[in-house]
Coordinates of all heavy atoms in Angstrom, one line a residue:
K34 N 104.9 -17.1 -45.9 CA 105.2 -17.4 -47.3 C 104.1 -16.9 -48.2 O 104.3 -16.4 -49.3 CB 105.3 -18.9 -47.4 CG 106.6 -19.4 -46.8 CD 106.7 -20.9 -46.7 CE 106.9 -21.6 -48.0 NZ 107.1 -23.1 -47.9
R35 N 102.8 -17.1 -47.8 CA 101.7 -16.6 -48.7 C 101.7 -15.1 -48.9 O 101.5 -14.6 -50.0 CB 100.3 -17.0 -48.0 CG 99.8 -18.3 -48.3 CD 98.4 -18.5 -47.9 NE 98.0 -17.9 -46.6 CZ 98.1 -18.6 -45.5 NH1 98.6 -19.8 -45.4 NH2 97.7 -18.0 -44.3
R36 N 102.0 -14.4 -47.8 CA 102.0 -12.9 -47.9 C 103.3 -12.4 -48.5 O 103.3 -11.2 -48.9 CB 101.9 -12.3 -46.5 CG 100.5 -12.5 -45.9 CD 100.4 -11.6 -44.6 NE 101.5 -11.8 -43.7 CZ 101.5 -12.6 -42.6 NH1 100.4 -13.2 -42.3 NH2 102.6 -12.7 -41.8
G37 N 104.3 -13.1 -48.5 CA 105.6 -12.7 -49.0 C 106.2 -11.6 -48.0 O 106.9 -10.7 -48.5
S38 N 105.9 -11.8 -46.8 CA 106.4 -10.8 -45.8 C 107.4 -11.5 -44.8 O 107.8 -12.6 -45.0 CB 105.2 -10.3 -44.9 OG 104.6 -11.3 -44.2
Q39 N 107.8 -10.7 -43.9 CA 108.8 -11.2 -42.9 C 108.0 -12.0 -41.8 O 106.9 -11.7 -41.4 CB 109.6 -10.1 -42.3 CG 110.6 -9.5 -43.2 CD 111.5 -8.5 -42.6 OE1 111.2 -8.0 -41.5 NE2 112.5 -8.1 -43.2
L40 N 108.7 -13.0 -41.3 CA 108.2 -13.8 -40.1 C 108.2 -12.9 -38.9 O 109.1 -12.2 -38.7 CB 109.1 -15.0 -39.9 CG 108.6 -16.0 -38.9 CD1 107.3 -16.7 -39.4 CD2 109.7 -17.0 -38.6
P41 N 107.1 -12.9 -38.1 CA 107.1 -12.2 -36.8 C 108.3 -12.7 -36.0 O 108.8 -13.8 -36.2 CB 105.8 -12.6 -36.2 CG 104.9 -13.1 -37.3 CD 105.9 -13.7 -38.3
A42 N 108.7 -11.9 -35.0 CA 109.8 -12.3 -34.1 C 109.4 -13.4 -33.2 O 108.3 -13.4 -32.6 CB 110.2 -11.1 -33.3
Y43 N 110.3 -14.4 -33.0 CA 110.1 -15.5 -32.1 C 111.4 -15.6 -31.3 O 112.5 -15.4 -31.8 CB 109.9 -16.8 -32.8 CG 108.5 -16.9 -33.4 CD1 108.2 -16.5 -34.6 CD2 107.5 -17.5 -32.6 CE1 106.9 -16.6 -35.1 CE2 106.2 -17.6 -33.1 CZ 105.9 -17.2 -34.4 OH 104.6 -17.3 -34.9
L44 N 111.2 -15.9 -30.0 CA 112.3 -16.2 -29.1 C 112.3 -17.6 -28.6 O 111.3 -18.0 -28.0 CB 112.3 -15.2 -27.9 CG 113.4 -15.4 -26.9 CD1 114.8 -15.2 -27.4 CD2 113.1 -14.5 -25.7
F45 N 113.3 -18.4 -29.0 CA 113.4 -19.8 -28.5 C 114.4 -19.8 -27.4 O 115.5 -19.3 -27.5 CB 113.9 -20.7 -29.6 CG 113.1 -20.7 -30.9 CD1 113.6 -20.4 -32.1 CD2 111.7 -21.0 -30.8 CE1 112.8 -20.4 -33.2 CE2 110.9 -21.0 -31.9 CZ 111.5 -20.7 -33.2
S46 N 113.9 -20.3 -26.2 CA 114.8 -20.4 -25.1 C 114.7 -21.8 -24.5 O 113.7 -22.4 -24.6 CB 114.5 -19.3 -24.1 OG 113.2 -19.5 -23.5
G47 N 115.7 -22.2 -23.8 CA 115.7 -23.5 -23.1 C 117.1 -24.0 -22.9 O 118.1 -23.3 -23.2
E48 N 117.1 -25.2 -22.3 CA 118.4 -25.8 -22.0 C 119.2 -26.1 -23.3 O 118.6 -26.3 -24.4 CB 118.2 -27.1 -21.3 CG 117.5 -26.9 -19.9 CD 118.3 -26.1 -18.9 OE1 119.5 -26.4 -18.9 OE2 117.8 -25.3 -18.2
P49 N 120.5 -26.1 -23.2 CA 121.3 -26.5 -24.3 C 121.0 -27.9 -24.9 O 120.6 -28.8 -24.1 CB 122.8 -26.5 -23.8 CG 122.7 -25.6 -22.6 CD 121.3 -25.8 -22.0

Side-chain angles (χ1 to χ4, degrees):
K34 288 169 74 173
R35 273 194 317 273
R36 289 190 310 260
S38 62
Q39 290 184 345
L40 185 69
Y43 284 89
L44 175 64
F45 302 124
S46 66
E48 297 297 318

